[in-house]
Amino acid sequence: MTNGRRMVRLTIDGTSLEVPEGTLLVEAAKSIGVHIPVYCYHPKMDPAGLCRICLVEIEKMPKLQIACNTQVAEGMVVHTASSRVAEGRRGVLEFLLLNHPLDCPICDKGGECDLQDFTLTYGPGASRLTEPKLHKPKAVDLGPTIVLDEERCILCRRCTRFDNEITHERRLIVVERGHRSLIGTADGKPYTSYFSGNTTEICPVGALTSKAYRFRSRPWDLSHADSVCTQCSVGCNYRIDSRFGRIMRTYTRENPAVDDGWICDRGRYTFNYLYEPSRLRQPLIAVDGELKAATFDEAIALTAEKLGRAAQARRVGIIGGGRLSDEEAFALQLLARDVLGSDNIDYRASAQKYASPPRYEARLADIDDASLILIFGAVTPEQAPIADLRIRRAVARRHARLLFVGPFVPPAFVPSRHVPYAPGEIAPLMRALADVVHHGREEQGEGFVAEIAQALAQAEKIIAIHNGRDPQAVEALDALLDRLAQYDHPVGVLVVGAAGNARGAEAAGCVPNLGPGYAPLGRTGMTTARMLDAAARGEIDALFIAGANPALTFPDGALVRRALERVEFLAVSEQVMTETAAYADVVFAAASFAEKSGHVTNLEGRQQPFHQAVEPPVQVATDAQILAALAHALGKPWVISAEPAVLFSQLEKMQRPARTRSSRDPLPRPCVDDPVPVPDPASWPDGLTVIPIPHLYAGGGAAAHDPGLAPMRPQPFAVFHPQDAQQRGVADGTRVRLRGPGGEIEVQARTGDHVPPGSVLVLADMPEAPVNKLTNASGYGVACVDAATVTASQELSA
């Protein structure tokens, strides 16, 4: 028995083996190194039995059988290379090639095409067709990322099944019938999905090709480097393929525990910004209010002088780390504490308070087996797309119950139950829920609290996913999970990070009260909010910001702009000119994810290595090199090494105690600021509560400058409840000006019933319309419709 499944003994090509009952023949053959060709079959999708190339001969069966949809049986004897099998496969390939264009020399799939390989191995040497081939449309624009060559399609339907079974979006279908069958979309519109690039990988021929890679290289010309995506906190594994020192494409590499073999389109296509004019290729120094090119040594000398002087007066602050590698985040806190002698360091440049769960740490793979999934405020389709795929599968295929606790239901969500709460009021709801469970599972409670309590009592395995914004809610969640654990419930928590390596930065010590490995310091420096407040009041003389953009992402926009304008000296390390870098006195040109090596830590605490794929431009340095050079200029060269391996060795020793603790033991918590109340709409004329909403393609850094993401990037918008829109004369497609205490922005208007009455959902992190002009430190705000134009805009971006 294996995992409760009976073992079955069979023979394949003379080799005897045992596999669990229910195993498909194609997988059983793999286990002993026997290759059976497949086109339609994919191990992560249900067998379809469409292409018939996987024919095998099974003794005592009169006809050839397909290995992709035949389960093993006791005593089965299988032949995969008999003369009957060879004849059958030749026939299948001859039919597939009847109308297939022989354009391998110009096909993007050439060199890694299954049809090409199997034709050479199993196919006929020549075609017997005497009639002209059937021609279909070529270079069809299927969507913003994909080109479809319909002549090459063999109708294996991997793409449509991926869209149906994996993403559950059901947009791709087969249209027409017979030899006229084509791949199309259900509504006739372009194929838009956060996961569309995966279809080009699983296509076994050259029918679906990537616009970003089309006609750029041959696979045998590519160099490969294993890397980890940092566009969100999931940490998907992928491979960077380059040619002549330039990135050509990214490709998935299997890590079932993290990404299950998929990556989202933001992770896949965000690399062409490195070759745009907006990419920083040398340091800049402000001269007479204008940033001008400088040498690396000049930038280091000026920054070291200003930071050193401010440190002597104890008026220095360091912000950043969430987008750095673990090694660089560790070096950043070394610069603050061991070089500058300050605990004023914080990676939190957004509304997030915590990146690690308080206890009961879960793994991403735990979502697969959860019977109840609780999501508190996190919008996983936008903030953690590949984790969201696991949630979709658990709900659709394993019948998990999904409860979403938030002020509104994102359109991409289809929860079993939505538990609404007013912005900033999640903590009382959580405490009420914990109280109900605390008094026993038979306690009825009231309303949806009783319903959730009943669901908790019936669930076998519970995963809670939250955004780590509300410390009081985290404490209430702790109490709830403690009670559930006493009832022998398997429980776990995942925190969706606001930055790609937020968990790594926190564990590396980029918080004011904890050192590397969550070691308590016994003292507390300033949080990001306190540093910005001090800078705005003239009490901090120098700020160093590395890999963060608080001008766009920090919730209190008015405060951060005052701080950046008033601080005497500001140095920024960035890859592109961000909203924060525009305020700087010195801008260091920093290396990208592909131009360095190191480790990153994902939202489940898994530390993963990544490797350098290409060389950075000549005057571009890694953040470790920048920090090491600053330490050297400040007279302490021994403190920070520029070598990732040395930094990692030091960090690993300091993190070991935290990594060996029990998942039920709470980690020490980063200090947080006093809670700031959500602005009252009644305090503002005709006011609406502003709720910022995330979007996968939003942001002011790489996403804003990458041409590959431009077709998918939304325009700034705000969504009103229909009743509020009618009262204010706002219609879909018009442009409106929203005005709040911190300023005003202009956005496109939409309406939707999912918006709470009296609120407006505003797209976050858009440089053209920064929502933090309307919000305060609570992460929420208040605004009124100052003006609405009557000219309708063009069709709104998704």
Side-chain angles (χ1 to χ4, degrees):
M1 302 285 287
T2 300
N3 294 329
R5 297 166 66 188
R6 185 173 67 87
M7 299 301 289
V8 173
R9 179 172 290 276
L10 71 156
T11 302
I12 299 178
D13 290 346
T15 301
S16 181
L17 68 153
E18 279 191 339
V19 294
E21 185 179 30
T23 302
L24 296 173
L25 273 179
V26 66
E27 294 297 330
K30 276 185 195 176
S31 68
I32 59 171
V34 174
H35 177 259
I36 297 177
V38 294
Y39 288 130
C40 67
Y41 175 75
H42 193 281
K44 293 184 177 63
M45 292 184 271
D46 293 338
L50 294 168
C51 70
R52 324 302 287 184
I53 192 63
C54 62
L55 292 170
V56 295
E57 183 178 0
I58 303 176
E59 292 186 5
K60 300 182 181 180
M61 288 190 177
K63 294 182 180 181
L64 298 179
Q65 303 295 314
I66 52 174
C68 75
N69 205 7
T70 302
Q71 295 183 0
V72 298
E74 185 66 36
M76 181 180 278
V77 179
V78 182
H79 304 283
T80 72
S82 67
S83 58
R84 290 184 64 200
V85 170
E87 182 182 2
R89 289 177 183 170
R90 272 197 302 272
V92 170
L93 282 164
E94 186 171 21
F95 275 108
L96 290 177
L97 292 169
L98 280 180
N99 292 306
H100 193 87
L102 300 180
D103 58 353
C104 299
I106 63 167
C107 178
D108 273 312
K109 202 76 171 182
E112 53 187 9
C113 172
D114 290 341
L115 184 61
Q116 190 179 53
D117 293 342
F118 296 164
T119 299
L120 290 173
T121 306
Y122 308 107
S127 174
R128 295 181 291 170
L129 181 69
T130 59
E131 300 297 322
K133 288 178 180 284
L134 174 69
H135 293 290
K136 294 182 180 180
K138 299 184 74 67
V140 176
D141 193 338
L142 190 62
T145 66
I146 296 175
V147 173
L148 169 63
D149 191 317
E150 293 174 341
E151 283 188 342
R152 298 174 185 160
C153 180
I154 62 172
L155 291 173
C156 69
R157 306 194 187 190
R158 277 190 180 185
C159 55
T160 61
R161 288 155 53 219
F162 169 83
D163 188 57
N164 180 44
E165 299 175 23
I166 304 299
T167 71
H168 302 280
E169 293 173 345
R170 298 174 178 84
R171 293 174 184 169
L172 283 180
I173 60 171
V174 177
V175 298
E176 302 296 343
R177 290 186 177 185
H179 66 281
R180 298 187 182 278
S181 296
L182 305 169
I183 300 299
T185 55
D187 56 6
K189 295 180 180 180
Y191 173 46
T192 55
S193 169
Y194 285 168
F195 313 98
S196 66
N198 292 288
T199 62
T200 64
E201 279 195 28
I202 63 176
C203 179
V205 295
L208 296 174
T209 55
S210 166
K211 289 182 179 179
Y213 179 64
R214 191 171 168 84
F215 302 138
R216 296 188 72 184
S217 180
R218 287 298 191 188
W220 53 80
D221 290 330
L222 297 173
S223 299
H224 312 295
D226 290 344
S227 191
V228 178
C229 180
T230 57
Q231 293 298 316
C232 81
S233 58
V234 174
C236 300
N237 290 213
Y238 64 1
R239 188 186 78 209
I240 300 174
D241 292 347
S242 60
R243 184 185 184 207
F244 300 140
R246 184 184 177 104
I247 300 173
M248 295 286 107
R249 66 178 181 183
T250 57
Y251 216 80
T252 58
R253 58 187 181 97
E254 190 78 10
N255 190 339
V258 177
D259 49 53
D260 207 25
W262 313 114
I263 56 175
C264 75
D265 284 358
R266 172 154 179 167
R268 182 182 297 274
Y269 296 119
T270 308
F271 61 83
N272 277 309
Y273 75 96
L274 297 173
Y275 310 108
E276 291 295 295
S278 57
R279 195 313 168 60
L280 295 172
R281 290 177 170 81
Q282 63 187 114
L284 304 174
I285 291 179
V287 179
D288 298 327
E290 183 179 351
L291 287 168
K292 295 185 177 180
T295 67
F296 182 75
D297 290 341
E298 289 173 338
I300 287 293
L302 178 58
T303 304
E305 176 192 350
K306 296 293 186 179
L307 291 179
R309 187 182 303 166
Q312 289 179 351
R314 300 187 180 277
R315 294 162 66 96
V316 67
I318 309 290
I319 298 172
R323 293 190 184 94
L324 306 181
S325 68
D326 289 351
E327 293 87 346
E328 290 170 336
F330 174 62
L332 188 67
Q333 69 87 33
L334 287 177
L335 175 71
R337 294 191 170 102
D338 293 9
V339 177
L340 300 175
S342 174
D343 289 309
N344 298 337
I345 178 170
D346 203 346
Y347 76 91
R348 295 166 292 184
S350 66
Q352 186 173 14
K353 301 295 188 295
Y354 306 127
S356 59
R359 61 184 75 175
Y360 304 109
E361 186 169 280
R363 293 289 189 180
L364 284 161
D366 293 337
I367 297 173
D368 299 343
D369 300 321
S371 55
L372 178 64
I373 302 170
L374 292 166
I375 299 183
F376 299 98
V379 185
T380 52
E382 310 292 346
Q383 296 174 300
I386 295 300
D388 192 64
L389 280 188
R390 289 188 183 271
I391 296 171
R392 297 183 197 184
R393 179 175 58 193
V395 172
R397 305 290 293 275
R398 302 174 187 266
H399 307 293
R401 192 170 186 189
L402 174 62
L403 301 181
F404 180 73
V405 183
F408 71 99
V409 180
F413 264 2
V414 186
S416 307
R417 182 73 161 89
H418 171 226
V419 182
Y421 70 87
E425 295 299 320
I426 187 173
L429 183 148
M430 290 293 298
R431 280 194 290 268
L433 181 59
D435 288 343
V436 169
V437 177
H438 176 73
H439 290 98
R441 286 179 286 180
E442 291 74 27
E443 179 77 22
Q444 292 300 311
E446 295 182 1
F448 53 73
V449 173
E451 182 177 344
I452 296 180
Q454 184 180 9
L456 291 168
Q458 296 172 348
E460 296 177 359
K461 188 172 185 179
I462 302 166
I463 300 294
I465 301 171
H466 67 99
N467 59 13
R469 287 180 53 171
D470 191 332
Q472 295 178 339
V474 172
E475 294 172 2
L477 180 61
D478 262 351
L480 171 62
L481 296 182
D482 282 339
R483 176 57 57 177
L484 291 170
Q486 292 178 15
Y487 292 136
D488 296 325
H489 275 66
V491 296
V493 181
L494 292 167
V495 180
V496 177
N501 196 29
R503 181 74 184 267
E506 189 173 279
C510 289
V511 288
N513 63 320
L514 301 174
Y518 296 88
L521 298 175
R523 59 185 189 276
T524 301
M526 295 184 184
T527 61
T528 297
R530 293 186 185 278
M531 281 187 271
L532 293 173
D533 181 63
R537 290 186 282 107
E539 296 174 3
I540 277 188
D541 296 333
L543 283 174
F544 183 80
I545 300 178
N549 189 11
L552 184 65
T553 62
F554 190 74
D556 192 339
L559 172 63
V560 70
R561 290 179 185 89
R562 288 199 310 271
L564 298 182
E565 288 170 355
R566 183 164 183 184
V567 69
E568 181 180 316
F569 178 78
L570 172 64
V572 172
S573 171
E574 262 297 354
Q575 301 173 52
V576 294
M577 185 56 66
T578 62
E579 292 66 40
T580 301
Y583 287 94
D585 299 288
V586 173
V587 180
F588 290 98
S592 72
F593 66 100
E595 297 163 342
K596 58 188 178 184
S597 60
H599 292 76
V600 288
T601 303
N602 74 346
L603 58 84
E604 61 180 359
R606 184 187 300 269
Q607 196 170 54
Q608 303 182 99
F610 65 94
H611 303 284
Q612 183 175 350
V614 294
E615 291 290 332
V618 175
Q619 297 193 63
V620 172
T622 68
D623 283 279
Q625 291 170 336
I626 294 168
L627 297 170
L630 286 172
H632 189 278
L634 287 163
K636 296 184 178 181
W638 62 88
V639 175
I640 303 176
S641 171
E643 295 299 324
V646 176
L647 292 169
F648 180 74
S649 177
Q650 295 173 319
L651 175 61
E652 198 274 335
K653 291 177 183 177
M654 302 178 79
Q655 288 183 333
R656 198 169 296 156
R659 293 192 180 279
T660 56
R661 86 189 204 291
S662 166
S663 66
R664 292 194 174 194
D665 295 334
L667 286 168
R669 307 307 298 159
C671 61
V672 295
D673 301 306
D674 295 333
V676 175
V678 175
D680 183 1
S683 65
W684 193 254
D686 202 22
L688 294 168
T689 298
V690 174
I691 303 175
I693 57 173
H695 193 285
L696 182 64
Y697 299 120
H705 294 83
D706 198 295
L709 300 185
M712 293 91 82
R713 190 169 167 84
Q715 295 297 315
F717 64 81
V719 192
F720 298 82
H721 188 275
Q723 181 179 349
D724 293 324
Q726 184 178 14
Q727 291 175 352
R728 291 161 176 80
V730 173
D732 270 311
T734 60
R735 294 196 66 80
V736 299
R737 187 179 303 119
L738 297 177
R739 180 167 52 87
E744 62 182 37
I745 60 174
E746 190 172 296
V747 296
Q748 292 173 326
R750 301 180 184 179
T751 59
D753 292 329
H754 63 289
V755 183
S759 301
V760 57
L761 311 182
V762 184
L763 184 60
D765 299 339
M766 296 299 292
E768 310 94 310
V771 69
N772 65 0
K773 285 187 175 182
L774 310 177
T775 58
N776 66 4
S778 70
Y780 302 99
V782 61
C784 69
V785 178
D786 194 46
T789 63
V790 294
T791 54
S793 65
Q794 297 178 349
E795 186 176 351
L796 302 181
S797 302

